[in-house]
Amino acid sequence: MAEAAKDVRTEEVSEEAGHAATGCPVAWCPICMTVTAVQPLKPDVIEHLLKAGTELLMAFRGVIDARAEEMQPSETPGPTRLEKIDIG
């Protein structure tokens, strides 16, 4: 049991040391954590994840563009003019 606790603590120290080696001043830097998590993956897996991320961002862009088109007023022949009508 004591060895398991030492192993966990050793892993924590090595992760902190790896983070310190990058020179990042942030304790829980999401970029450094991602790089550390992705390092053991094969290059083809990383390539697949990058392509999937690109497709996701393109889908978001399509949705945003569609919403932007809906928000723009429709084309009118000219500017809208107000007319004063006298009643009486």
Side-chain angles (χ1 to χ4, degrees):
M1 182 92 152
E3 282 186 35
K6 287 180 183 178
D7 290 339
V8 171
R9 180 63 187 146
T10 305
E11 289 175 6
E12 289 175 3
V13 170
S14 64
E15 286 178 9
E16 290 172 2
H19 182 73
T22 62
C24 184
V26 181
W28 290 95
C29 177
I31 296 172
C32 292
M33 291 171 62
T34 304
V35 168
T36 303
V38 172
Q39 280 179 346
L41 297 178
K42 295 182 180 179
D44 56 335
V45 174
I46 294 172
E47 182 181 352
H48 179 72
L49 290 173
L50 288 174
K51 286 181 181 179
T54 302
E55 293 292 325
L56 180 65
L57 291 176
M58 288 173 59
F60 284 147
R61 183 177 178 187
V63 169
I64 290 170
D65 288 344
R67 293 289 294 160
E69 287 177 8
E70 290 176 5
M71 304 273 305
Q72 292 179 351
S74 62
E75 295 293 324
T76 57
T80 305
R81 299 179 83 189
L82 296 177
E83 248 181 80
K84 181 179 178 182
I85 301 174
D86 292 327
I87 300 178

